[in-house]
Amino acid sequence: MKQIIFKIQIIVISVLSFYQGQAQTKDTLVDVGQYKLHFNIIKGTGTPILFESGSGNDGTVWRDLIQPIAEITGATIITYDRAGLGKSEIKSSAHNPEENNILNNVIALEEGLKKIGYDEDIILVAHSLGGFYATLFASRNEQKVKSVVFIDASLASFYTEAFVIKLDGVISDEFLKKLKEQKIGLYHEIKNIENSIQLLKKTNFPTSVPVIDLVASNPYNPFKNEDDKSRWIKDHQDFVKDSPNRVLVTINNASHYAFKDNPNFIIYEVIKAYANTVEVSSTKDILLKTLDFSSKISNSKED
C-alpha cells in the first residue's frame, strides 16, 4: 500500500512540475584538481540549495524532489556526485583511500562550487552520511551556510567504538573487492569511515547556523537493534538542545530513506528552510505556490 501511495505522489509531483514548466537545467563536469566532479544545476535566483546524498548514493537520488522545490522557491538547486560515484571521476591515486578522504572530498566540493559560481551563501540538505559532509562543510564555511536540513542524518556521536567494530564485522573482503571494481567512491567511504568519524568528533557544527533536524520514526538501524534506534534518536535530541537555532521534527511512518517514504513532507521542510532566509516580501509568493502545490496533491486520487 505504501508503495502505491508513493507512486501516486511521484506522479502528481511530475505532473505538477510539467504544468509549472521546466527551469533551465545545466549538467556539467567540473575540474576540481586531478579529477572532475559531476554537477546538476537547476538555475534560479536567491540562495542556492545544495543536496548532499547519503553513503554510496549519487545526485540522482534527489530527482523526485528537486523540481517542485525549484518551482516553488525559484532558487537554484544543486545536486552532485561525490568522487567515484555517479558520473564523477576520482583521483588517479584511486587505490589509496587516504587520498580520497572526507576532508579532501569537501575541499573538492568547495572548489567545484567556486568554479560553477555558487561559492557564496548556500543552504544545505543532507541525508544519512551526507550529514558528515554537511557538518564539515558548515564548520569550514560558517558565514556562507544560511540554513541546513538534515534528513535522518549521521551524527558522529552515534558511531561508538563498539558499533564501528560491529559494522566492520559484517563487511567482508569479498564485498570490498567488488566495490573497488564497481563502485570505487563507496569503497573509499567505507575504508575511510573510522578516520571520518574521528575527524567529525572533533568538528563542531556551528551554533549560528539554523538546522531543521528531520529524524525518521524508524531511523538508521542496520542491526535492527532497539538500543541503536534509541541512541540515534537521543543523539539528535541532544544535538538540537545544543542550540536554539535547531529544531527536531519526527518524520512519522518513515524509514531511513524518509524522502522516499514521505517526499511531500521533505519538500515542505526544505521550502520552509529556504523561506526563512528570504525577505518577508518574498514569503507570500512562496506561501501561495506551496499552498497551490499542497492543494493539487490533496485533490489527487485514482479513479
Side-chain angles (χ1 to χ4, degrees):
M1 185 63 183
K2 183 181 289 186
Q3 289 180 336
I4 294 173
I5 293 172
F6 174 67
K7 288 178 180 178
I8 293 172
Q9 290 172 325
I10 295 307
I11 290 170
V12 173
I13 289 172
S14 301
V15 171
L16 177 63
S17 299
F18 178 79
Y19 175 77
Q20 291 180 319
Q22 297 291 325
Q24 184 181 357
T25 301
K26 182 179 181 180
D27 191 277
T28 183
L29 281 171
V30 179
D31 190 340
V32 294
Q34 299 185 48
Y35 66 103
K36 294 179 180 179
L37 282 182
H38 172 250
F39 287 86
N40 186 272
I41 307 157
I42 302 177
K43 292 186 177 181
T45 58
T47 306
I49 305 172
L50 172 72
F51 286 76
E52 189 69 70
S53 307
S55 182
N57 295 138
D58 57 44
T60 60
V61 77
W62 302 108
R63 59 190 166 197
D64 294 323
L65 303 184
I66 55 177
Q67 192 64 42
I69 293 171
E71 295 289 350
I72 293 170
T73 63
T76 294
I77 307 296
I78 306 170
T79 61
Y80 81 107
D81 306 335
R82 288 196 291 271
L85 297 171
K87 297 179 182 178
S88 286
E89 301 172 351
I90 198 165
K91 286 186 179 181
S92 57
S93 53
H95 298 300
N96 182 0
E98 292 182 2
E99 285 295 307
N100 295 283
N101 58 42
I102 187 171
L103 178 57
N104 286 344
N105 283 346
V106 170
I107 292 171
L109 171 61
E110 293 168 347
E111 179 64 18
L113 290 172
K114 183 177 180 180
K115 290 282 185 69
I116 62 177
Y118 295 103
D119 62 332
E120 296 300 327
D121 291 352
I122 200 161
I123 294 168
L124 305 178
V125 180
H127 170 245
S128 192
L129 193 67
F132 277 14
Y133 289 86
T135 297
L136 191 54
F137 185 95
S139 73
R140 292 168 53 85
N141 300 275
E142 181 175 353
Q143 299 305 315
K144 295 180 181 180
V145 179
K146 299 306 173 186
S147 185
V148 173
V149 179
F150 277 161
I151 305 172
D152 217 43
S154 295
L155 299 176
S157 57
F158 174 79
Y159 292 84
T160 62
E161 182 179 356
F163 184 82
V164 173
I165 290 173
K166 197 171 181 179
L167 274 180
D168 286 343
V170 298
I171 300 175
S172 67
D173 290 340
E174 183 65 24
F175 176 69
L176 287 174
K177 181 181 178 181
K178 287 182 179 179
L179 283 185
K180 196 171 185 179
E181 296 170 352
Q182 302 171 9
K183 207 167 188 178
I184 189 69
L186 179 56
Y187 168 81
H188 284 294
E189 284 186 340
I190 291 174
K191 293 291 287 185
N192 278 301
I193 189 62
E194 291 185 43
N195 289 334
S196 297
I197 291 167
Q198 292 307 312
L199 175 60
L200 266 295
K201 285 185 176 181
K202 300 174 185 176
T203 304
N204 294 321
F205 192 101
T207 56
S208 63
V209 177
V211 180
I212 298 177
D213 190 6
L214 307 178
V215 178
S217 56
N218 295 301
Y220 175 70
N221 188 8
F223 303 113
K224 308 302 179 186
N225 183 309
E226 282 300 315
D227 180 60
D228 286 343
K229 177 180 177 179
S230 297
R231 285 196 308 109
W232 181 274
I233 294 171
K234 185 179 186 305
D235 282 358
H236 280 272
Q237 291 171 339
D238 292 342
F239 170 75
V240 168
K241 288 177 183 177
D242 282 344
S243 172
N245 273 342
R246 302 171 188 170
V247 58
L248 180 71
V249 182
T250 300
I251 314 170
N252 294 321
N253 302 313
S255 62
H256 185 49
Y257 278 80
F259 57 88
K260 293 184 178 182
D261 296 330
N262 196 342
N264 298 329
F265 180 77
I266 303 301
I267 289 169
Y268 296 142
E269 292 299 315
V270 174
I271 292 169
K272 184 192 300 181
Y274 178 81
N276 285 333
T277 69
V278 302
E279 297 293 333
V280 174
S281 58
S282 300
T283 57
K284 180 180 177 181
D285 183 56
I286 294 173
L287 175 61
L288 289 174
K289 287 182 178 179
T290 304
L291 288 172
D292 184 54
F293 173 81
S294 179
S295 176
K296 287 181 171 65
I297 294 295
S298 299
N299 196 41
S300 65
K301 67 177 182 178
E302 290 187 314
D303 292 332

